[in-house]
Amino acid sequence: MRALTLLLTITVCNGWLFDHFGERYRETDDVSLWPLPQKYQTTPTAFKLSASSFQIVHAKDSSAGPSCSLLQNAFRRYFSYMFDYVKKHGMNQDKGLDSELSELQVQITSTDPECDGYPSLKTDESYQLLVDQPAAVLKAANVWGALRGLETFSQLVYEDNYGAITINKTDVSDFPRFAHRGILLDSSRHFLPLKVILANLEAMAMNKFNVFHWHIVDDHSFPFLSRTFPDLSQRGAYHPYTHVYTPADVKMVIEFARMRGIRVIAEFDTPGHTQSWGKGQAGLLTSCYSGSTPSGSFGPVNPILNSTYDFMARFFKEVSTVFPDAYIHLGGDEVDFSCWRSNPDIQKFMEQQGFGQDYSKLESYYIQRLLDIVKATNKGYMVWQEVFDNGVKLKADTQIHVWKEKPDYNSEMAQITAAGFHALLSSPWYLNRISYGQDWQGVYKADPQSFNGTAEQKKLVIGGEACLWGEYVDATNLTPRLWPRASAVAERLWSDENVKDVNNAYTRLVKHRCRMLRRGIPAEPLFVGYCPHEYDGL
């Protein structure tokens, strides 16, 4: 177990992080790191940053340089976070501190900085940050760790009483507790405009999330524009032109995410949740029967036809080329067997296969064939927990996604890891479930490793995801419903396991929420209070 090292040099005049509700706002109150770094030491020694002279630069011995567009874009982005508000509001930067910090030097230490690569499950996101004169130094093995360090540096910056941009002498050594820290957004139940998706990717980076789980299609609509099967969106989307994601749109999302160290994992859930698929692909879904005649309605994907697997092979071949991540989420949850039971052809197939009346065996038959198809594309796969629960034969590197409340998620995580599979948790983090009051606290207290198991089992937990399903959210309310509640998940997945103090978290999260407002993210309030720079509105 790693011991949390959190060394804060605190003086009465400095007014550091842990002020109490109702006290007067002090100049360093803007400084509140979220998620909390693994090791962090600061002093009252303060330096001024001037927008006219401060620079973020590549260190001389860095393996990355000006040709690394990912870092160049990040330098501009974080410079704007630190200085744009001051410049926009004409605040005075000339008074106050005499001691000036001239630059932040970013040093990438690995031979390959990965400027043109994509983040992965095995990405090293660690970094070291030393803020001191004559220059602050950020060291990371690759660009992904540098991105996390830039976020931390920007969070250390605050305005003094004269409006001067200031940072204290600080030493940070940091790395994430879990490798998979995700947000699921659902663009099927309500179409999400690109602007909303991109804004939330921006917010994800502010909270050190690194996976965008894109639940892109479902029963309700099929907005993914497939070049191989264009009728899927032409007939399955809410509107074939205004409510679709074109190949260019998808490419934009993937690149925007990559520039922020975020993986994009697409989910195409089958055999259930596929009503929209059937509108553009005749014969794909099972025809339901009422007695001996078709009822005119359709159920899950028809698992007994060779044409089903021919379609899946072609479709997932395309998906594997569109989405560069090493993993695809294949769903596999909530399959309603009633339509399969009603269909005489399926009944006959069940008898031939010796499945009896156990339709979970039929589901497993389908899933197994689908997994073989996806395996042929050289992709790994993630599945919802039902696939494991139903005994489907899985590859050793399968990632099993736990979402159900019953059975208890701790026992499910224990069973999955005992079987040797990687697991990730979402059960306590369904943020579409809302209630009056500070529900973020329950979110904050949940832990993916709280189950009874061996140290080896705990190592198989790769992280988790906060999920925001789309029944009741669209572009009008998605972002404030998600943030800062998702920030609670972010700290649980990044910070040391001993970071559990809800009162301390509240103090920091209130300020982090104010920081997100200042950066243009309309995060909802945690409770009564105010921000020094309130959200300006639409």
Side-chain angles (χ1 to χ4, degrees):
M1 181 184 293
R2 294 189 301 269
L4 173 66
T5 305
L6 181 60
L7 302 173
L8 296 178
T9 304
I10 305 175
T11 63
V12 174
C13 63
N14 191 39
W16 192 240
L17 295 177
F18 311 125
D19 59 320
H20 299 285
F21 179 77
E23 286 189 3
R24 188 177 68 82
Y25 201 88
R26 294 164 297 194
E27 63 184 38
T28 52
D29 283 351
D30 272 336
V31 179
S32 188
L33 299 184
W34 195 281
L36 201 64
Q38 301 288 340
K39 296 180 182 179
Y40 166 42
Q41 185 174 8
T42 192
T43 78
T45 305
F47 312 117
K48 177 183 172 184
L49 282 70
S50 169
S52 60
S53 59
F54 179 79
Q55 298 181 79
I56 306 176
V57 299
H58 299 279
K60 289 181 180 178
D61 49 355
S62 176
S63 60
S67 63
C68 184
S69 61
L70 184 148
L71 282 182
Q72 292 295 118
N73 284 343
F75 292 175
R76 286 192 292 270
R77 186 164 67 250
Y78 281 103
F79 187 92
S80 294
Y81 284 160
M82 292 184 284
F83 294 107
D84 268 11
Y85 194 93
V86 174
K87 289 193 288 186
K88 201 179 292 180
H89 292 76
M91 292 170 141
N92 190 343
Q93 294 189 68
D94 299 326
K95 296 179 184 177
L97 300 174
D98 297 323
S99 186
E100 188 170 326
L101 190 71
S102 60
E103 62 185 23
L104 169 62
Q105 298 174 1
V106 179
Q107 180 184 352
I108 307 300
T109 59
S110 294
T111 306
D112 179 10
E114 301 183 38
C115 290
D116 300 317
Y118 289 90
S120 72
L121 186 66
K122 296 180 180 179
T123 289
D124 180 1
E125 296 175 279
S126 65
Y127 66 92
Q128 286 81 43
L129 174 62
L130 180 61
V131 179
D132 200 356
Q133 284 190 314
V137 177
L138 168 60
K139 289 185 180 181
N142 53 50
V143 295
W144 317 118
L147 288 172
R148 306 301 171 232
L150 285 166
E151 177 60 39
T152 298
F153 183 86
S154 73
Q155 292 188 11
L156 287 168
V157 170
Y158 63 96
E159 291 172 24
D160 72 4
N161 288 333
Y162 299 97
I165 303 299
T166 308
I167 192 168
N168 284 33
K169 181 178 178 180
T170 306
D171 191 358
V172 179
S173 181
D174 201 11
F175 53 87
R177 180 182 170 200
F178 293 106
H180 185 120
R181 308 178 308 280
I183 295 284
L184 178 149
L185 297 181
D186 167 10
S187 61
S188 171
R189 289 170 175 86
H190 284 98
F191 180 79
L192 301 178
L194 276 182
K195 183 179 179 181
V196 173
I197 293 175
L198 300 183
N200 280 279
L201 287 169
E202 201 79 85
M204 285 173 64
M206 295 173 195
N207 290 270
K208 296 188 171 73
F209 279 107
N210 68 349
V211 175
F212 171 35
H213 176 166
W214 195 352
H215 189 86
I216 193 167
V217 301
D218 206 296
D219 279 330
H220 313 82
S221 74
F222 197 106
F224 174 73
L225 200 164
S226 164
R227 283 177 166 161
T228 310
F229 299 100
D231 278 352
L232 288 172
S233 60
Q234 187 70 23
R235 298 183 181 182
Y238 286 133
H239 189 283
Y241 307 120
T242 60
H243 286 58
V244 295
Y245 302 108
T246 67
D249 293 336
V250 173
K251 192 173 183 179
M252 179 190 294
V253 169
I254 292 169
E255 180 61 10
F256 192 92
R258 187 188 78 85
M259 297 294 273
R260 287 152 183 79
I262 298 171
R263 302 162 58 198
V264 178
I265 297 178
E267 180 183 354
F268 292 91
D269 189 358
T270 67
H273 292 274
T274 48
Q275 289 297 299
S276 66
W277 299 52
K279 295 175 183 177
Q281 187 65 23
L284 180 64
L285 303 185
T286 303
S287 178
C288 306
Y289 276 69
S290 179
S292 60
T293 58
S295 66
S297 62
F298 295 90
V301 166
N302 191 327
I304 72 172
L305 301 178
N306 287 331
S307 59
T308 292
Y309 302 102
D310 292 340
F311 164 81
M312 292 296 174
R314 292 178 63 197
F315 179 73
F316 279 101
K317 183 179 180 182
E318 177 186 7
V319 167
S320 70
T321 61
V322 170
F323 293 92
D325 197 82
Y327 282 83
I328 299 174
H329 202 304
L330 298 175
D333 64 316
E334 296 183 314
V335 181
D336 183 355
F337 297 150
S338 58
C339 184
W340 282 353
R341 286 194 187 97
S342 75
N343 186 291
D345 293 330
I346 288 184
Q347 293 169 8
K348 185 178 179 182
F349 182 84
M350 291 281 289
E351 188 179 332
Q352 290 170 347
Q353 296 292 321
F355 292 163
Q357 292 299 307
D358 187 353
Y359 283 85
S360 66
K361 290 182 178 178
L362 180 61
E363 179 188 8
S364 296
Y365 170 86
Y366 167 81
I367 293 287
Q368 186 60 61
R369 289 193 64 174
L370 179 64
L371 298 184
D372 290 341
I373 286 169
V374 174
K375 184 179 179 181
T377 68
N378 295 317
K379 293 285 190 183
Y381 40 76
M382 300 169 62
V383 293
W384 296 111
Q385 69 183 73
E386 287 96 321
V387 177
F388 169 81
D389 295 341
N390 291 340
V392 176
K393 185 180 177 183
L394 298 168
K395 279 197 307 178
D397 65 343
T398 302
Q399 298 173 359
I400 299 169
H401 199 164
V402 175
W403 70 276
K404 288 186 171 183
E405 289 185 293
K406 295 180 180 179
D408 175 67
Y409 68 79
N410 280 314
S411 62
E412 184 77 12
M413 295 288 283
Q415 287 179 42
I416 291 167
T417 53
F421 291 108
H422 289 103
L424 64 154
L425 181 65
S426 281
S427 302
W429 297 326
Y430 267 39
L431 300 185
N432 46 290
R433 299 178 185 140
I434 57 174
S435 59
Y436 189 78
Q438 298 195 46
D439 63 351
W440 71 272
Q441 295 182 0
V443 168
Y444 187 74
K445 291 174 183 176
D447 193 292
Q449 291 181 330
S450 59
F451 61 90
N452 292 322
T454 65
E456 290 304 309
Q457 283 179 261
K458 301 292 176 83
K459 288 178 183 176
L460 290 171
V461 178
I462 59 173
E465 292 181 359
C467 301
L468 192 67
W469 296 97
E471 289 90 349
Y472 301 101
V473 292
D474 63 6
T476 64
N477 64 343
L478 182 147
T479 304
R481 184 161 296 185
L482 186 58
W483 307 103
R485 296 161 74 230
S487 302
V489 182
E491 181 152 290
R492 181 58 53 237
L493 295 175
W494 179 280
S495 302
D496 187 271
E497 61 185 311
N498 294 311
V499 176
K500 295 178 179 177
D501 187 330
V502 172
N503 291 328
N504 171 257
Y506 175 81
T507 302
R508 289 183 294 110
L509 188 53
V510 165
K511 296 163 191 169
H512 181 56
R513 179 253 172 179
C514 288
R515 178 166 49 233
M516 286 195 283
L517 289 191
R518 186 167 174 168
R519 294 181 181 185
I521 304 298
E524 69 181 16
L526 292 170
F527 190 52
V528 177
Y530 79 106
C531 291
H533 307 284
E534 297 287 4
Y535 183 62
D536 290 335
L538 298 175

